[in-house]
Amino acid sequence: MESMTKDLKVAAKALKSTRPTAVNLAWGVDRVLNAISDAFDFRGIRDIALQEARDIAEEDIETNKLIGKYGAKLLKDGDTVLTHCNAGRLACVDWGTALGVVRSAIADGKEIKVLACETRPLNQGSRITTWELMQDKIPVTLIADSMAGWAMRQGLVNSVLVGADRITQDVVFNKIGTYTHSILAREHEIPFYVAAPVSTFDFEGWEGSIKIEMRNPDELRFAGCQQLAPEDVPVYNPAFDATPMENVTALITERGVFYPPILLDEVLV
């Protein structure tokens, strides 16, 4: 049993190391580890771990529905929302965070359209977000990441709505490109909203204390099997960037909407 517990801790550490910037993976892994701490045998570990995972999934649905409920109040009938990466039911469970806000607003009877940025270099926006929204018959238009500023200048965007991988006291970590959208939104006086559960909050950390993981250089050199750049060109490919709180209009959580600057105690009440 001691050997099994040791192996599980090694496996947990390996899992968490795959996404050092995002906090939810580590949160979920640690929660399962804590749940199985009183198990006596392999079957007990398996059953408890599976049940804890199911509980996390069910709670995630409720959490996302609450985020959607609070966030929907910030969207007006007829709004067009620009989003980046995927923060929908394919990233979360059944509803989503940022896209969950859109779903909730539509469920309230509002007409909402979405501009989905492609989200280079892995194209989560074009591959996942557009497909997900089209499946739900939600009006969505795909744009290149570099078109966001022009779309705002043309009056095509009423708000920017994104998810988050980690929120510290000073910044929001999210998919690379989010910071750029926040600057553009601020310049064009467009609200910039972040929808995320409280489990993404890390008020013990700050921008300089968080490691941003680097992705495979070939993600920029190639698109699938198609070569786009010289194979030996140096590549800088961080997975995330950090958006300063002064660029964030509001944080939408399952505990309500919070306007920076905020204290962790406010969120946890």
Side-chain angles (χ1 to χ4, degrees), residues 89-90 99 103 114 116 125-142:
R89 58 181 169 84
L90 295 177
L99 296 190
R103 287 192 172 91
V114 177
S126 57
R127 292 187 299 108
I128 303 175
T129 296
T130 56
W131 181 88
E132 177 179 325
L133 293 176
M134 290 174 71
Q135 290 294 304
D136 288 352
K137 304 292 192 293
I138 296 174
V140 57
T141 298
L142 174 66

PDB file of all heavy atoms in Angstrom, residues 89-90 99 103 114 116 125-142:
ATOM      1  N   ARG A  89     -17.910  24.220 -23.440  1.00  0.00           N
ATOM      2  CA  ARG A  89     -18.228  22.910 -22.869  1.00  0.00           C
ATOM      3  C   ARG A  89     -17.230  21.830 -23.260  1.00  0.00           C
ATOM      4  O   ARG A  89     -17.254  20.735 -22.681  1.00  0.00           O
ATOM      5  CB  ARG A  89     -19.641  22.491 -23.255  1.00  0.00           C
ATOM      6  CG  ARG A  89     -19.931  22.404 -24.748  1.00  0.00           C
ATOM      7  CD  ARG A  89     -21.389  22.009 -24.966  1.00  0.00           C
ATOM      8  NE  ARG A  89     -21.802  22.144 -26.346  1.00  0.00           N
ATOM      9  CZ  ARG A  89     -21.616  21.224 -27.291  1.00  0.00           C
ATOM     10  NH1 ARG A  89     -20.983  20.111 -26.991  1.00  0.00           N
ATOM     11  NH2 ARG A  89     -22.042  21.422 -28.526  1.00  0.00           N
ATOM     12  N   LEU A  90     -16.364  22.108 -24.222  1.00  0.00           N
ATOM     13  CA  LEU A  90     -15.314  21.154 -24.558  1.00  0.00           C
ATOM     14  C   LEU A  90     -14.086  21.337 -23.675  1.00  0.00           C
ATOM     15  O   LEU A  90     -13.264  20.431 -23.538  1.00  0.00           O
ATOM     16  CB  LEU A  90     -14.923  21.295 -26.031  1.00  0.00           C
ATOM     17  CG  LEU A  90     -16.031  20.920 -27.024  1.00  0.00           C
ATOM     18  CD1 LEU A  90     -15.569  21.170 -28.456  1.00  0.00           C
ATOM     19  CD2 LEU A  90     -16.457  19.475 -26.858  1.00  0.00           C
ATOM     20  N   LEU A  99     -17.848  30.900 -22.724  1.00  0.00           N
ATOM     21  CA  LEU A  99     -18.955  30.552 -23.614  1.00  0.00           C
ATOM     22  C   LEU A  99     -20.213  30.216 -22.821  1.00  0.00           C
ATOM     23  O   LEU A  99     -21.327  30.334 -23.338  1.00  0.00           O
ATOM     24  CB  LEU A  99     -18.566  29.375 -24.521  1.00  0.00           C
ATOM     25  CG  LEU A  99     -17.423  29.628 -25.504  1.00  0.00           C
ATOM     26  CD1 LEU A  99     -17.308  28.477 -26.497  1.00  0.00           C
ATOM     27  CD2 LEU A  99     -17.613  30.947 -26.248  1.00  0.00           C
ATOM     28  N   ARG A 103     -24.008  31.359 -23.513  1.00  0.00           N
ATOM     29  CA  ARG A 103     -25.146  30.433 -23.492  1.00  0.00           C
ATOM     30  C   ARG A 103     -26.232  30.913 -22.525  1.00  0.00           C
ATOM     31  O   ARG A 103     -27.431  30.844 -22.828  1.00  0.00           O
ATOM     32  CB  ARG A 103     -24.683  29.030 -23.090  1.00  0.00           C
ATOM     33  CG  ARG A 103     -23.895  28.310 -24.160  1.00  0.00           C
ATOM     34  CD  ARG A 103     -23.711  26.840 -23.824  1.00  0.00           C
ATOM     35  NE  ARG A 103     -23.119  26.160 -24.964  1.00  0.00           N
ATOM     36  CZ  ARG A 103     -21.816  26.009 -25.158  1.00  0.00           C
ATOM     37  NH1 ARG A 103     -20.967  26.475 -24.261  1.00  0.00           N
ATOM     38  NH2 ARG A 103     -21.364  25.390 -26.226  1.00  0.00           N
ATOM     39  N   VAL A 114     -21.016  35.916 -31.705  1.00  0.00           N
ATOM     40  CA  VAL A 114     -19.642  35.706 -31.242  1.00  0.00           C
ATOM     41  C   VAL A 114     -18.657  35.881 -32.398  1.00  0.00           C
ATOM     42  O   VAL A 114     -18.878  35.368 -33.499  1.00  0.00           O
ATOM     43  CB  VAL A 114     -19.463  34.305 -30.629  1.00  0.00           C
ATOM     44  CG1 VAL A 114     -18.005  34.073 -30.224  1.00  0.00           C
ATOM     45  CG2 VAL A 114     -20.387  34.115 -29.436  1.00  0.00           C
ATOM     46  N   ALA A 116     -14.987  34.693 -33.008  1.00  0.00           N
ATOM     47  CA  ALA A 116     -14.001  33.770 -32.456  1.00  0.00           C
ATOM     48  C   ALA A 116     -12.655  33.986 -33.128  1.00  0.00           C
ATOM     49  O   ALA A 116     -12.529  33.841 -34.351  1.00  0.00           O
ATOM     50  CB  ALA A 116     -14.458  32.330 -32.646  1.00  0.00           C
ATOM     51  N   GLY A 125      -9.489  28.264 -31.277  1.00  0.00           N
ATOM     52  CA  GLY A 125     -10.665  29.051 -31.623  1.00  0.00           C
ATOM     53  C   GLY A 125     -11.330  28.568 -32.893  1.00  0.00           C
ATOM     54  O   GLY A 125     -12.550  28.378 -32.947  1.00  0.00           O
ATOM     55  N   SER A 126     -10.533  28.351 -33.925  1.00  0.00           N
ATOM     56  CA  SER A 126     -11.105  27.917 -35.201  1.00  0.00           C
ATOM     57  C   SER A 126     -11.504  26.446 -35.183  1.00  0.00           C
ATOM     58  O   SER A 126     -12.524  26.069 -35.759  1.00  0.00           O
ATOM     59  CB  SER A 126     -10.116  28.174 -36.343  1.00  0.00           C
ATOM     60  OG  SER A 126      -8.891  27.520 -36.113  1.00  0.00           O
ATOM     61  N   ARG A 127     -10.725  25.607 -34.527  1.00  0.00           N
ATOM     62  CA  ARG A 127     -11.012  24.172 -34.523  1.00  0.00           C
ATOM     63  C   ARG A 127     -12.111  23.783 -33.534  1.00  0.00           C
ATOM     64  O   ARG A 127     -12.908  22.880 -33.813  1.00  0.00           O
ATOM     65  CB  ARG A 127      -9.754  23.372 -34.167  1.00  0.00           C
ATOM     66  CG  ARG A 127      -8.652  23.402 -35.215  1.00  0.00           C
ATOM     67  CD  ARG A 127      -7.512  22.460 -34.860  1.00  0.00           C
ATOM     68  NE  ARG A 127      -6.874  22.799 -33.595  1.00  0.00           N
ATOM     69  CZ  ARG A 127      -6.981  22.107 -32.476  1.00  0.00           C
ATOM     70  NH1 ARG A 127      -7.717  21.018 -32.431  1.00  0.00           N
ATOM     71  NH2 ARG A 127      -6.336  22.493 -31.379  1.00  0.00           N
ATOM     72  N   ILE A 128     -12.134  24.456 -32.379  1.00  0.00           N
ATOM     73  CA  ILE A 128     -13.000  23.992 -31.292  1.00  0.00           C
ATOM     74  C   ILE A 128     -14.158  24.953 -31.026  1.00  0.00           C
ATOM     75  O   ILE A 128     -15.329  24.553 -31.039  1.00  0.00           O
ATOM     76  CB  ILE A 128     -12.171  23.792 -30.005  1.00  0.00           C
ATOM     77  CG1 ILE A 128     -11.023  22.811 -30.258  1.00  0.00           C
ATOM     78  CG2 ILE A 128     -13.073  23.279 -28.881  1.00  0.00           C
ATOM     79  CD1 ILE A 128     -10.078  22.650 -29.091  1.00  0.00           C
ATOM     80  N   THR A 129     -13.840  26.233 -30.776  1.00  0.00           N
ATOM     81  CA  THR A 129     -14.889  27.192 -30.410  1.00  0.00           C
ATOM     82  C   THR A 129     -15.940  27.329 -31.510  1.00  0.00           C
ATOM     83  O   THR A 129     -17.145  27.303 -31.242  1.00  0.00           O
ATOM     84  CB  THR A 129     -14.271  28.559 -30.083  1.00  0.00           C
ATOM     85  OG1 THR A 129     -13.439  28.423 -28.922  1.00  0.00           O
ATOM     86  CG2 THR A 129     -15.354  29.588 -29.805  1.00  0.00           C
ATOM     87  N   THR A 130     -15.490  27.478 -32.751  1.00  0.00           N
ATOM     88  CA  THR A 130     -16.466  27.641 -33.835  1.00  0.00           C
ATOM     89  C   THR A 130     -17.343  26.402 -33.977  1.00  0.00           C
ATOM     90  O   THR A 130     -18.563  26.510 -34.134  1.00  0.00           O
ATOM     91  CB  THR A 130     -15.772  27.928 -35.177  1.00  0.00           C
ATOM     92  OG1 THR A 130     -14.839  26.881 -35.467  1.00  0.00           O
ATOM     93  CG2 THR A 130     -15.023  29.251 -35.128  1.00  0.00           C
ATOM     94  N   TRP A 131     -16.742  25.226 -33.917  1.00  0.00           N
ATOM     95  CA  TRP A 131     -17.500  23.978 -34.043  1.00  0.00           C
ATOM     96  C   TRP A 131     -18.531  23.864 -32.927  1.00  0.00           C
ATOM     97  O   TRP A 131     -19.707  23.548 -33.168  1.00  0.00           O
ATOM     98  CB  TRP A 131     -16.555  22.780 -33.989  1.00  0.00           C
ATOM     99  CG  TRP A 131     -17.262  21.459 -34.132  1.00  0.00           C
ATOM    100  CD1 TRP A 131     -17.559  20.815 -35.299  1.00  0.00           C
ATOM    101  CD2 TRP A 131     -17.757  20.640 -33.069  1.00  0.00           C
ATOM    102  NE1 TRP A 131     -18.225  19.642 -35.030  1.00  0.00           N
ATOM    103  CE2 TRP A 131     -18.356  19.507 -33.671  1.00  0.00           C
ATOM    104  CE3 TRP A 131     -17.761  20.743 -31.673  1.00  0.00           C
ATOM    105  CZ2 TRP A 131     -18.953  18.487 -32.924  1.00  0.00           C
ATOM    106  CZ3 TRP A 131     -18.361  19.737 -30.925  1.00  0.00           C
ATOM    107  CH2 TRP A 131     -18.938  18.621 -31.541  1.00  0.00           C
ATOM    108  N   GLU A 132     -18.086  24.147 -31.693  1.00  0.00           N
ATOM    109  CA  GLU A 132     -18.975  24.033 -30.534  1.00  0.00           C
ATOM    110  C   GLU A 132     -20.172  24.975 -30.653  1.00  0.00           C
ATOM    111  O   GLU A 132     -21.317  24.579 -30.414  1.00  0.00           O
ATOM    112  CB  GLU A 132     -18.173  24.334 -29.269  1.00  0.00           C
ATOM    113  CG  GLU A 132     -18.971  24.328 -27.993  1.00  0.00           C
ATOM    114  CD  GLU A 132     -18.118  24.612 -26.770  1.00  0.00           C
ATOM    115  OE1 GLU A 132     -16.942  24.189 -26.731  1.00  0.00           O
ATOM    116  OE2 GLU A 132     -18.635  25.266 -25.841  1.00  0.00           O
ATOM    117  N   LEU A 133     -19.923  26.219 -31.015  1.00  0.00           N
ATOM    118  CA  LEU A 133     -21.009  27.192 -31.121  1.00  0.00           C
ATOM    119  C   LEU A 133     -21.939  26.871 -32.285  1.00  0.00           C
ATOM    120  O   LEU A 133     -23.170  27.025 -32.173  1.00  0.00           O
ATOM    121  CB  LEU A 133     -20.432  28.600 -31.276  1.00  0.00           C
ATOM    122  CG  LEU A 133     -19.686  29.136 -30.048  1.00  0.00           C
ATOM    123  CD1 LEU A 133     -19.067  30.499 -30.353  1.00  0.00           C
ATOM    124  CD2 LEU A 133     -20.606  29.237 -28.838  1.00  0.00           C
ATOM    125  N   MET A 134     -21.387  26.404 -33.394  1.00  0.00           N
ATOM    126  CA  MET A 134     -22.221  26.027 -34.528  1.00  0.00           C
ATOM    127  C   MET A 134     -23.115  24.840 -34.183  1.00  0.00           C
ATOM    128  O   MET A 134     -24.270  24.772 -34.624  1.00  0.00           O
ATOM    129  CB  MET A 134     -21.350  25.706 -35.742  1.00  0.00           C
ATOM    130  CG  MET A 134     -20.673  26.937 -36.339  1.00  0.00           C
ATOM    131  SD  MET A 134     -19.512  26.544 -37.672  1.00  0.00           S
ATOM    132  CE  MET A 134     -20.663  26.047 -38.955  1.00  0.00           C
ATOM    133  N   GLN A 135     -22.599  23.912 -33.379  1.00  0.00           N
ATOM    134  CA  GLN A 135     -23.415  22.777 -32.949  1.00  0.00           C
ATOM    135  C   GLN A 135     -24.623  23.244 -32.142  1.00  0.00           C
ATOM    136  O   GLN A 135     -25.689  22.629 -32.197  1.00  0.00           O
ATOM    137  CB  GLN A 135     -22.568  21.821 -32.096  1.00  0.00           C
ATOM    138  CG  GLN A 135     -21.504  21.065 -32.863  1.00  0.00           C
ATOM    139  CD  GLN A 135     -22.091  20.100 -33.874  1.00  0.00           C
ATOM    140  OE1 GLN A 135     -22.888  19.233 -33.532  1.00  0.00           O
ATOM    141  NE2 GLN A 135     -21.707  20.259 -35.135  1.00  0.00           N
ATOM    142  N   ASP A 136     -24.448  24.337 -31.405  1.00  0.00           N
ATOM    143  CA  ASP A 136     -25.530  24.864 -30.568  1.00  0.00           C
ATOM    144  C   ASP A 136     -26.332  25.958 -31.271  1.00  0.00           C
ATOM    145  O   ASP A 136     -27.134  26.649 -30.636  1.00  0.00           O
ATOM    146  CB  ASP A 136     -24.953  25.411 -29.256  1.00  0.00           C
ATOM    147  CG  ASP A 136     -24.491  24.298 -28.330  1.00  0.00           C
ATOM    148  OD1 ASP A 136     -24.755  23.122 -28.646  1.00  0.00           O
ATOM    149  OD2 ASP A 136     -23.852  24.600 -27.304  1.00  0.00           O
ATOM    150  N   LYS A 137     -26.055  26.135 -32.585  1.00  0.00           N
ATOM    151  CA  LYS A 137     -26.791  27.137 -33.377  1.00  0.00           C
ATOM    152  C   LYS A 137     -26.592  28.560 -32.844  1.00  0.00           C
ATOM    153  O   LYS A 137     -27.481  29.404 -32.943  1.00  0.00           O
ATOM    154  CB  LYS A 137     -28.289  26.806 -33.399  1.00  0.00           C
ATOM    155  CG  LYS A 137     -28.619  25.415 -33.911  1.00  0.00           C
ATOM    156  CD  LYS A 137     -28.328  25.272 -35.383  1.00  0.00           C
ATOM    157  CE  LYS A 137     -28.937  23.992 -35.964  1.00  0.00           C
ATOM    158  NZ  LYS A 137     -28.301  22.767 -35.443  1.00  0.00           N
ATOM    159  N   ILE A 138     -25.417  28.825 -32.263  1.00  0.00           N
ATOM    160  CA  ILE A 138     -25.084  30.169 -31.789  1.00  0.00           C
ATOM    161  C   ILE A 138     -24.300  30.882 -32.893  1.00  0.00           C
ATOM    162  O   ILE A 138     -23.290  30.357 -33.370  1.00  0.00           O
ATOM    163  CB  ILE A 138     -24.251  30.106 -30.491  1.00  0.00           C
ATOM    164  CG1 ILE A 138     -25.086  29.486 -29.363  1.00  0.00           C
ATOM    165  CG2 ILE A 138     -23.767  31.499 -30.083  1.00  0.00           C
ATOM    166  CD1 ILE A 138     -24.311  29.254 -28.073  1.00  0.00           C
ATOM    167  N   PRO A 139     -24.756  32.064 -33.334  1.00  0.00           N
ATOM    168  CA  PRO A 139     -24.092  32.762 -34.438  1.00  0.00           C
ATOM    169  C   PRO A 139     -22.626  33.048 -34.119  1.00  0.00           C
ATOM    170  O   PRO A 139     -22.316  33.707 -33.127  1.00  0.00           O
ATOM    171  CB  PRO A 139     -24.894  34.059 -34.574  1.00  0.00           C
ATOM    172  CG  PRO A 139     -26.227  33.747 -33.979  1.00  0.00           C
ATOM    173  CD  PRO A 139     -25.938  32.798 -32.852  1.00  0.00           C
ATOM    174  N   VAL A 140     -21.719  32.559 -34.963  1.00  0.00           N
ATOM    175  CA  VAL A 140     -20.294  32.751 -34.728  1.00  0.00           C
ATOM    176  C   VAL A 140     -19.592  33.046 -36.049  1.00  0.00           C
ATOM    177  O   VAL A 140     -19.928  32.460 -37.085  1.00  0.00           O
ATOM    178  CB  VAL A 140     -19.654  31.512 -34.053  1.00  0.00           C
ATOM    179  CG1 VAL A 140     -19.873  30.250 -34.871  1.00  0.00           C
ATOM    180  CG2 VAL A 140     -18.173  31.734 -33.779  1.00  0.00           C
ATOM    181  N   THR A 141     -18.650  33.968 -36.000  1.00  0.00           N
ATOM    182  CA  THR A 141     -17.830  34.310 -37.163  1.00  0.00           C
ATOM    183  C   THR A 141     -16.369  34.166 -36.768  1.00  0.00           C
ATOM    184  O   THR A 141     -15.947  34.675 -35.720  1.00  0.00           O
ATOM    185  CB  THR A 141     -18.100  35.749 -37.629  1.00  0.00           C
ATOM    186  OG1 THR A 141     -19.475  35.863 -38.019  1.00  0.00           O
ATOM    187  CG2 THR A 141     -17.214  36.113 -38.817  1.00  0.00           C
ATOM    188  N   LEU A 142     -15.601  33.479 -37.588  1.00  0.00           N
ATOM    189  CA  LEU A 142     -14.179  33.266 -37.329  1.00  0.00           C
ATOM    190  C   LEU A 142     -13.358  34.412 -37.902  1.00  0.00           C
ATOM    191  O   LEU A 142     -13.585  34.845 -39.034  1.00  0.00           O
ATOM    192  CB  LEU A 142     -13.734  31.943 -37.965  1.00  0.00           C
ATOM    193  CG  LEU A 142     -12.244  31.609 -37.912  1.00  0.00           C
ATOM    194  CD1 LEU A 142     -11.781  31.392 -36.486  1.00  0.00           C
ATOM    195  CD2 LEU A 142     -11.959  30.371 -38.776  1.00  0.00           C
TER     196      LEU A 142
END
